[in-house]
Structures are given as structure tokens and as C-alpha cells.
Amino acid sequence: MDKPVIFAVDDEPAVLSAIARDLRKEYGADYRILRATSGPAALEMVRELKLKEAPLALFVVDQRMPGMTGVEFLREALTLYPDAQRVLLTAYADTDAAIRAINEIRLDHYLMKPWDPPEERLYPVLTDLLDTWWSRFRPPFEGVRVVGHRWSADAHRIKDFLARNLTPYQWLDVEESEDAKQVQALVGESDAAALPLVVFPDGSHLSRPDNAAVAERLGMRTQAEADSYDLIIVGAGPAGLAAGVYGASEGLRTLLIEREAPGGQAGQSSRIENYLGFPVGLSGGDLARRAVAQATRFGAEILTPAEAVALRIQDGYPIVSLADGSQVTGQALLIATGVSYRMLDVPGAAQLAGAGVYYGAAMTEAMAAEGEDVFVVGGGNSAGQGAMYLSRFARSVTILVRGPSLAKSMSQYLIGQIDETPNITVRAGAQVAEVQGDGRLERVVVEDRESGGRETCPAHAVFVFIGAAPRTEWLGDVVTRDGRGFILSGTDLMRNGKRPHGWSAGRDPLWLETSVPGIFVAGDVRSRSVKRVASAVGEGSMAVQFVHQHLSGPILAPRKAVAAAT
């Protein structure tokens, strides 16, 4: 594959030479640096690049150019390279135009001229944008291929696993792709019972594999390096990843255990637009990618997929058992397992799960819904974000919300976007009564909650975002939970000023501490938590400070003895 292109456009020769020089110095080894002195000349070059299918990663464009402004150029160029990152070079007087461009052309960043020194004011911004572009870029394909039927639940599971773990793959539908049939023949698996197939770059393949087998073949880490850690974090959603970053950066030997993919439920979000510091929003996948990079840079160890299945306490130390039979010991434990969307409890839902009925954003299925009619069930922000993303592909998106409106459960900015999207319809006071289809979803029965009347509607997909079920069954009776399974912590454990039964520390429970000293909880799995990404990140980072307070207290038992006992 050719080197990706970074394209600089400025009508001032001295400025263009300076930006080209700085770009070449930092990125010349990995990118082609092209430049042009006007918008029209640059567009002609961009058209030639597109004709050759050359990858283009980044535009760096001056706003004030005669004949065609930077924003006007980007608007045209992005019709050819819509996934390219875009940076506008501005003077102070151009700030308003740059801010408008954030909404008009999804501008990624604007930089005031001059940008000296580039090591501080240019390279950090561009490197981050280029990392984002690489995370989304699909080069001429040389990676994993998945062969199967669109309506296969196993195929959906594998695609979703690869996508959420940021592993590029090519989907080949046996009903539509001749390449799929060719791959089947090449690997000697022409029997439909062998599907789905996962074919790896070295030519090896797996038939109907589970996620752990795929992860092992891809070289993902699924087993811990050590038996004992300063801090074990179960769950790598926003809370767990934040704790991983702060714990590892502050010198704690930190292990994160994630059963599906880093990012958790938030990682499935197509766009998070109200997260502080990202005025144009970011996807859940981008947030997870950045957080994983931070945590691993500081030395945190991340296991995925790896599932915690049991917890016990020995000599005051938590011991976590994993699904593969191994176990790890920690001086402290943070439970950040988040929540799962509740299953749709109506006739047909269980049989059609993964074959038209999907839980969460299921972005892997969005493009397959192009030109089709889909339903979104739920009234929270996740449902709204999912509906907005699906509206880019589907012919129609119908949101079914049980309440009288979206106002009580969804942020106003999302409600406004939904109101302005012509192919999204909101049906308030409505719920799914049944889903129907032969091997795949074909119809949805919608019930009016007030009148009880029912209507059968054709549908190709239903995306479910209803309620939140905590992932705490694996804890048994080790820590105290509320009636819904969420974990109690801090002052919620105190009754009439008394510490919880069996409490062994000579102090009250810390704010995020559970009924067992040294075991903490953060994020959506905590009882009475605020179900927002920002609050989960805050709790995860705060939990590390409480971990330090716990570790600075009296030693409960010799660490080596505990490790030996396990």
C-alpha cells in the first residue's frame, strides 16, 4: 500500500513552505506530504489521488485563500475523502468561521498561525488526529476475513467482537459475494454447517469459533503475567479504564480483566457529543482506544476476553477466579463491570437474537440496514445516539419509547437532533409486543400502552436499549448488593451509624468502598450511580485514591503467603 497522504494548502508560499517543512520533518517517514497554493489546484490533485485510490489521511488548509476559502475547499474535498481528518489554519479574525465549520463540515481542529514551536503546538494535535484516522482506515485488505450468512447469530457475535476490539476485518456474505464462495473453496469448508469461518492473514482459519479462540489466534492477551497485583480491576469500561490509567501511572501494578472488549457499553456508542473537551464529539470506540493506549503506556496489563467468574477473600485479600481456571490475587480490587442492556422479553426475541434483534448499537449491522426499515427500542441517550447513527443508512428508523415522550430520559441536544432528522419517527407510549420471522426478523408487533391496540409492522432489524442489568452474579455473597443487584458502597452501607456486618477495618468504609475492606466499586454497577460516561471516569479515577488510602493502612497478611496459597 502507498504511504497515506498529508495534504497542505496555503496561498502564501512562505507559510506553505513552513508547514510542509514541519510536516516532512515529523511525518515524512510514514506519509507522503503533498501541497498546493490554491483550493482549485488542490482539488485537481485530490481528484487524481482518488482516481488512483491513494489513501489520504489529513488535510491542513488555510482559511483565507482567494477564490476559494479553506472551508469551501474542505467541503468539496470531503466528498471524495469523507474520512480524512481536517485541520483549518486560521488568523485571530477567522475564529468564528472555524467554529461554524465544526458543525458545517465536522472540522476536527483549528490552529492559530503561527504554530511555533511545532513540538508543542502542532505535532501533538496532528499525531492524535492521524491516530484517529488510522483507527478507522480500511486499507487494501490484507487482514482477517469473516465468511457467513448475514442472519447468523454466530457471525454477528464474531463481527461485533472484532469491531469492538478495533480489529479490522472484511465481511463476506455467502449469499451475495462470489469472494465468499471462493474463500470457502480455498480453505476446504464448503459445508454450510462450517459457517461462520474466520480466515486469518496467514491463510489459517477457524470454523464457528468462540471469541476466546479468535482472540488467541490474533495474539490478544487472555492470561495474566503474574499471580498477584497491587490493583485488580474487573471491567474495562470508562470507569475501569480510568482506574487503570491512574493506578498504573501512580506506580501500582495494575491488571484489568474485560470479558468482551475495552470500552464497555459506552464503547458501543456511535457518537458521544457531550463529553467534556470534545466539542465535535467522539465515538465510544475512539474513547476506548485512547484510554487503552494511555493505560498500556503506563504499564497496565489488560486481559481481553477474560471473564471473572468467582470472588473469594483469603487472609483479607481478594482472589478472582477466571473462566479459564486461573486465578489472580490483589491487594485491592475495583469492580467496574458496568451494566448490560436487558433482554427483550417478548415472544420471538430469544430465537431471533443476532438474526435481526440486536442489543446496543450493533454498529457492525448498521451498514447492512441500508435502505431498510429498523426499530430502536428505548428512550435513553444510548437509544438516541443509536437512532442517529442508524438514520445514516436505514430508510426509516422508528423509536419506540414506553413513556409519554423522550424528555425525561434523553438529553435535549439529542432530542433536537432527532426532531431534525426526517427519517426518524418517535412513537411514544409504545412497546414491542412480539417479533416475528422465519430464521430472521421480518415483522415487529407494536402495542399502544394506553389502548392496548396492536399493529404489525415490517422490519429488518430491532436495536434494543432497555434498562440496565448489573453484572454481579459472579460475586456471590461476598459483597453487599441492593435488591436489583447493584453494589452498595460508602455511606450506603452504614445503618444507624453502624458499620456493615463483618467489617474488619478500624475505620468507616470509604466512599467507593464495598462491604469488604479493600474492595471498591465504580461506574454504573454501583448502587445509585449517575449513568454517564463522565461520572464513570470520575469514579474510576477517584477509586484509585481510596485504594492508596487502603494500602497505606495496616497490612492484613503477608502478600507472599497469599500468593503461595493461591
Side-chain angles (χ1 to χ4, degrees), residues 413-471:
Y413 81 91
L414 268 174
I415 295 174
Q417 290 179 354
I418 288 169
D419 288 342
E420 295 173 1
T421 305
N423 63 332
I424 297 181
T425 301
V426 179
R427 294 185 60 171
Q431 62 187 14
V432 176
E434 185 178 354
V435 291
Q436 303 171 346
D438 183 12
R440 49 161 289 189
L441 179 69
E442 298 174 64
R443 296 171 299 278
V444 172
V445 179
V446 180
E447 180 179 87
D448 186 287
R449 298 191 70 215
E450 183 174 346
S451 67
R454 293 189 173 190
E455 176 186 1
T456 301
C457 307
H460 295 87
V462 171
F463 297 86
V464 182
F465 303 81
I466 53 173
R471 300 174 176 176

Side-chain angles (χ1 to χ4, degrees), residues 316-388:
Y317 290 91
I319 300 175
V320 178
S321 298
L322 305 181
D324 65 0
S326 64
Q327 55 186 23
V328 287
T329 301
Q331 292 202 55
L333 170 68
L334 175 65
I335 302 168
T337 47
V339 294
S340 300
Y341 292 114
R342 294 188 185 279
M343 300 294 103
L344 193 62
D345 187 17
V346 300
Q351 294 83 355
L352 296 176
V357 176
Y358 306 108
Y359 292 90
M363 287 185 285
T364 53
E365 307 300 333
M367 286 186 288
E370 186 168 1
E372 297 179 347
D373 302 307
V374 305
F375 285 75
V376 169
V377 182
N381 278 3
S382 295
Q385 290 160 353
M388 288 300 301

Side-chain angles (χ1 to χ4, degrees), residues 103-376:
N103 293 321
E104 293 175 4
I105 60 168
R106 310 294 290 190
L107 184 71
D108 294 298
H109 206 91
Y110 63 90
L111 288 171
M112 300 286 288
K113 296 188 292 186
W115 53 84
D116 291 327
E119 290 78 10
E120 296 180 10
R121 300 185 59 191
L122 180 67
Y123 298 151
V125 170
L126 299 191
T127 297
D128 190 47
L129 292 175
L130 289 167
D131 286 345
T132 296
W133 180 83
W134 273 113
S135 73
R136 301 169 180 169
F137 177 56
R138 297 295 177 262
F141 204 77
E142 300 174 352
V144 176
R145 288 166 287 177
V146 181
V147 181
H149 295 278
R150 173 185 173 184
W151 304 109
S152 162
D154 279 339
H156 166 69
R157 170 183 53 78
I158 292 169
K159 290 188 294 178
D160 193 56
F161 173 78
L162 292 171
R164 294 183 61 197
N165 281 280
L166 305 178
T167 301
Y169 70 91
Q170 183 182 39
W171 165 244
L172 300 174
D173 191 327
V174 293
E175 295 180 356
E176 299 181 358
S177 171
E178 289 298 322
D179 289 342
K181 297 173 183 176
Q182 184 181 57
V183 170
Q184 282 184 279
L186 288 172
V187 301
E189 297 280 8
S190 57
D191 190 342
L195 298 176
L197 295 173
V198 181
V199 183
F200 299 92
D202 63 0
S204 63
H205 73 280
L206 295 173
S207 172
R208 302 181 65 183
D210 58 22
N211 291 349
V214 175
E216 182 179 3
R217 190 66 66 89
L218 291 173
M220 296 180 183
R221 179 174 291 175
T222 59
Q223 294 185 328
E225 291 183 349
D227 295 324
S228 182
Y229 293 82
D230 297 322
L231 173 61
I232 297 173
I233 302 166
V234 181
L241 287 170
V245 169
Y246 283 92
S249 68
E250 294 171 11
L252 299 178
R253 184 163 192 182
T254 303
L255 174 72
L256 289 93
I257 300 169
E258 170 54 48
R259 73 172 188 173
E260 293 178 356
Q265 193 179 100
Q268 300 179 59
S269 176
S270 55
R271 196 140 198 100
I272 304 169
E273 296 195 67
N274 59 353
Y275 191 66
L276 183 67
F278 293 87
V280 297
L282 78 168
S283 71
D286 283 343
L287 179 63
R289 174 182 57 80
R290 295 167 191 246
V292 167
Q294 279 183 298
T296 53
R297 181 167 67 89
F298 287 124
E301 188 179 332
I302 303 177
L303 307 185
T304 180
E307 184 176 4
V309 295
L311 172 66
R312 76 178 195 274
I313 307 299
Q314 182 173 314
D315 298 329
Y317 290 91
I319 300 175
V320 178
S321 298
L322 305 181
D324 65 0
S326 64
Q327 55 186 23
V328 287
T329 301
Q331 292 202 55
L333 170 68
L334 175 65
I335 302 168
T337 47
V339 294
S340 300
Y341 292 114
R342 294 188 185 279
M343 300 294 103
L344 193 62
D345 187 17
V346 300
Q351 294 83 355
L352 296 176
V357 176
Y358 306 108
Y359 292 90
M363 287 185 285
T364 53
E365 307 300 333
M367 286 186 288
E370 186 168 1
E372 297 179 347
D373 302 307
V374 305
F375 285 75
V376 169

Side-chain angles (χ1 to χ4, degrees), residues 47-118:
R47 292 188 184 102
E48 292 178 8
L49 289 170
K50 185 62 178 178
L51 186 63
K52 299 174 182 177
E53 287 296 328
L56 198 157
L58 175 66
F59 289 110
V60 182
V61 184
D62 183 47
Q63 166 61 6
R64 290 194 175 189
M65 295 187 293
M68 177 179 282
T69 68
V71 172
E72 290 170 342
F73 163 77
L74 287 171
R75 186 178 290 113
E76 293 292 324
L78 292 174
T79 62
L80 300 171
Y81 284 96
D83 295 324
Q85 301 295 103
R86 57 218 75 162
V87 172
L88 201 63
L89 299 177
T90 66
Y92 181 82
D94 301 324
T95 301
D96 288 343
I99 292 173
R100 287 195 303 271
I102 290 175
N103 293 321
E104 293 175 4
I105 60 168
R106 310 294 290 190
L107 184 71
D108 294 298
H109 206 91
Y110 63 90
L111 288 171
M112 300 286 288
K113 296 188 292 186
W115 53 84
D116 291 327

